[in-house]
Structure formats: structure tokens, C-alpha cells
Amino acid sequence: MHKPHIVIIGTGGTIVSSGTTGAQMTGYSIQGLNISNIVAAVPALNEIANLRAVPLFNIGSCNVKLSNWIKLALTINQLAINSDIDGFVVTHGTDTLEETAFFLHLTLKTAKPVVLTGSMRPATAISADGPLNLLNAVRLASSEDACGKGVLVAMNGQIHSARDVSKTNTVAVDTFASPSSGPLGYIIGEQIDFLTQSIKPHTLTSEFRILEEDAAQAFPEIDIVLLHGDENVDRLKACINHGADGIILEATGNGSVPVELENVLNSLEKKPAIVRASRTGSGPVTQGLPNWQKMGLIPAGTLSAQKSRILLQLALHKFGNRTTELERVFKTY
Ligand code: ASP
């Protein structure tokens, strides 16, 4: 039987972090370990695939920047051309795993499986979840069933699409969920069960791509403004004044925009691209009031604010601030 060749790209996170005792579950840090050490500590991985570990970065994922996403996309695209490589696992801190996954989902140009995973407990913890998550991710990346499904996330025995997955709990091992759509499937021992798949375009069918010459500084600046009761307009004004090209309103409910904010936006001669997302965590943001539509405010659909930010950044980079094009992009992806 053909034993697949899987590249495991390490980027850091809790999966390579260490505490001082087995009972330490928070307050740990990345010390001497990188992904090569974790792979070496799980010999069962070698029964599934031929592995190559590539420690690309070794950072906590709250530090991950657009420049890291670009480097990761270029690295995977380049390696994917190699016919000897069957699939990829990317290990990542869980905090921003969903953002890296979505960026890759929109920009990679391969049908080979790309699976992100991480852990909620450090490598030194009793019942660390990293080794099993890694084993499941390698199993998924080795499976033909995972081809052409876009970037996948394997955590806690579930398979999620990069488009819909979110970290939903600060500490629990079952933190990853796709609140608006549910998981794509399950990994149970050797068995991989896909139940469904995302119908939105991704990877080879996405119109976005990263080129060698793409530098992070050349991409537009997008801010997220969290809205709340007792809202005032100062943060929105601050974003506009510092020159944001796009702003995601992480608004209340179904993307509601307070009248005071509308007034600020209407007073501008040239306004940044504005997307209405929701802070509720699930469900679609719909077209909303006729005046919001007239103002060109773009509904995020079921994308979270942080994923809307990535899509808007890629779309503004490609098309500039053209409302019809941006609306189409948000309807499509
Ligand atoms: N702080 C970690 C991170 O890099 C959390 C984790 O990996 O679970 O996101």
C-alpha cells in the first residue's frame, strides 16, 4: 500500500509549549520545543505516513501577522507542486488558527489536503491533546477523501472547514466549532467520516492568490470596531482618521448600525469600505435596512468579523474600493 508523504509545518502555539509541571494548564510558554520534537515523540505517526517536519515559525498565534500568512501560503504552494508530496499538516496556536486557516483556504492553489491543528494543553500536560490532534490531522491529510475540500481543521476528533470554524471557548479541548454549519465530519481512530462539505469557493476555485512579490505592507489596512450598548463614535472616527481602507463593524445582533455611526459615515466625502458583521457568533448578517444598503454597507453573511477582515483585505487588494465587486465577493465566499 502507498504510504503518503506528508509535510508537517510547525508555526508554534500551545502544541509546542511547556509548563513546569504536568498539572500546569495555563501560563506556559514556548521554550525549547518545536514541531520536530513533537513529531519525534509520537512514533505512531510513522505508521500512517512518511513525514517531514518543517519548523517555519515558533510563535504564539496572537503574534501571527499577514507576513506569516503570506510566507505560509507561498511555502505550501511551492511544496504542493512536488508530486512526491501528498498532503500538509500545519500546527498552529489555537487563538488565531481560524484566521490562518481561512487565509490559506482563500489563497492556496492546490487540491492536496491541507489540515490545521493545534492543542489546548501544553506538551508537558497530563492528557495533553496535541499528540492525538496531530495523529488525527496526519490521518486526515493522508486521506483521499480530504482532497479538494479546501483547508480543513482537525481538532478534538472533528473535521471543520476553514470557512466556518471558530475557537469558541477559552480553555476547553472541544473549543473548535462551526456554529452556523456544524462540523464536516469526524475522525474516530482509523476511520474518517465526512458528512458534508462547504460549497463556497476555495483554493483552486478562489479568485485570490498570493504572488512571490506580494509584500504585507502593500495590502490595505482593515480595522475591526466592536459595537456595544452605550456606543460612541470615537473608535470609528479614530479608525477613519488613522487611514483605514476598510472597517469591519462587529455589530450587535444582525449587524445593526447605530444612527450616530451612520451620521459619521454619511458625513465623509470618501468613506472606507464598511462591512457589517455580528458579535453574536452565529447566524447570517443579512442586507438590513434600505439606508444601510444605499450607503454601501456590505453584509458579512455568516463570516465572523475576523474572517470578514481577511476577505475584505484580499478583495480590496485585488479590486480596490468598488462596492459592487465587494458585495459580490461577500456573497460568493
Ligand atoms: N497561546 C496559544 C496560541 O498560540 C493558545 C493555543 O495554542 O492553544 O494561540
Side-chain angles (χ1 to χ4, degrees):
M1 215 186 78
H2 169 70
K3 203 173 173 192
H5 284 76
I6 304 296
V7 177
I8 304 181
I9 301 176
T11 69
T14 296
I15 194 165
V16 290
S17 292
S18 309
T20 47
T21 67
Q24 190 179 342
M25 298 294 162
T26 61
Y28 46 77
S29 58
I30 299 179
Q31 293 167 23
L33 301 179
N34 68 36
I35 195 55
S36 306
N37 307 109
I38 307 299
V39 170
V42 190
L45 293 171
N46 299 304
E47 288 160 28
I48 304 170
N50 295 306
L51 303 170
R52 184 170 135 208
V54 179
L56 194 61
F57 324 115
N58 216 22
I59 55 179
S61 75
C62 63
N63 303 303
V64 168
K65 309 279 271 182
L66 175 59
S67 55
N68 299 110
W69 295 338
I70 291 173
K71 178 146 190 214
L72 201 44
L74 291 174
T75 303
I76 296 174
N77 276 340
Q78 187 59 41
L79 288 169
I81 298 167
N82 188 336
S83 59
D84 293 342
I85 295 173
D86 298 292
F88 299 86
V89 169
V90 178
T91 57
H92 199 286
T94 59
D95 286 4
T96 63
L97 186 149
E98 68 209 61
E99 285 159 79
T100 299
F102 189 52
F103 185 88
L104 296 176
H105 191 64
L106 293 174
T107 58
L108 289 183
K109 293 299 161 209
T110 180
K112 293 179 181 177
V114 178
V115 181
L116 271 76
T117 195
S119 77
M120 291 298 286
R121 295 177 183 151
T124 46
I126 296 169
S127 290
D129 51 334
L132 183 56
N133 283 339
L134 184 59
L135 189 86
N136 283 340
V138 168
R139 210 180 277 293
L140 183 60
S142 304
S143 161
E144 283 193 4
D145 291 351
C147 294
K149 293 208 167 65
V151 173
L152 302 171
V153 172
M155 287 289 291
N156 200 41
Q158 295 190 336
I159 307 166
H160 294 270
S161 168
R163 185 191 183 278
D164 298 307
V165 73
S166 268
K167 184 173 184 177
T168 64
N169 186 290
T170 53
V171 291
V173 293
D174 65 348
T175 182
F176 282 91
S178 299
S180 296
S181 59
L184 299 187
Y186 295 87
I187 308 164
I188 319 109
E190 291 182 3
Q191 197 180 325
I192 291 178
D193 267 350
F194 272 99
L195 309 171
T196 183
Q197 71 184 78
S198 174
I199 58 163
K200 302 281 187 179
H202 56 73
T203 54
L204 294 174
T205 56
S206 161
E207 64 207 278
F208 303 106
R209 63 171 62 242
I210 295 299
L211 305 172
E212 280 296 335
E213 60 271 24
D214 276 331
Q217 311 84 270
F219 280 76
E221 181 78 29
I222 316 290
D223 289 326
I224 298 178
V225 178
L226 177 72
L227 303 188
H228 49 74
D230 192 30
E231 185 57 58
N232 70 53
V233 296
D234 293 346
R235 285 164 301 117
L236 178 67
K237 279 188 178 160
C239 294
I240 293 165
N241 291 340
H242 106 265
D245 304 292
I247 296 173
I248 313 295
L249 300 176
E250 190 172 13
T252 55
N254 184 2
S256 304
V257 184
V259 176
E260 276 186 43
L261 263 63
E262 274 185 38
N263 293 341
V264 170
L265 294 172
N266 281 328
S267 70
L268 300 174
E269 221 163 87
K270 191 170 164 290
K271 64 172 176 309
I274 309 281
V275 172
R276 295 167 40 241
S278 174
R279 66 180 201 179
T280 59
S282 67
V285 170
T286 59
Q287 287 289 345
L289 300 182
N291 54 320
W292 298 342
Q293 293 173 47
K294 235 182 282 149
M295 287 166 69
L297 309 189
I298 301 154
T302 51
L303 288 177
S304 63
Q306 56 273 28
K307 288 192 186 167
S308 298
R309 182 181 173 278
I310 289 169
L311 184 58
L312 185 60
Q313 195 166 41
L314 290 170
L316 275 179
H317 183 60
K318 189 169 164 81
F319 301 112
N321 191 352
R322 290 161 50 199
T323 308
T324 23
E325 207 60 56
L326 298 177
E327 275 171 352
R328 177 192 63 78
V329 163
F330 271 83
K331 271 193 198 124
T332 308
Y333 292 86

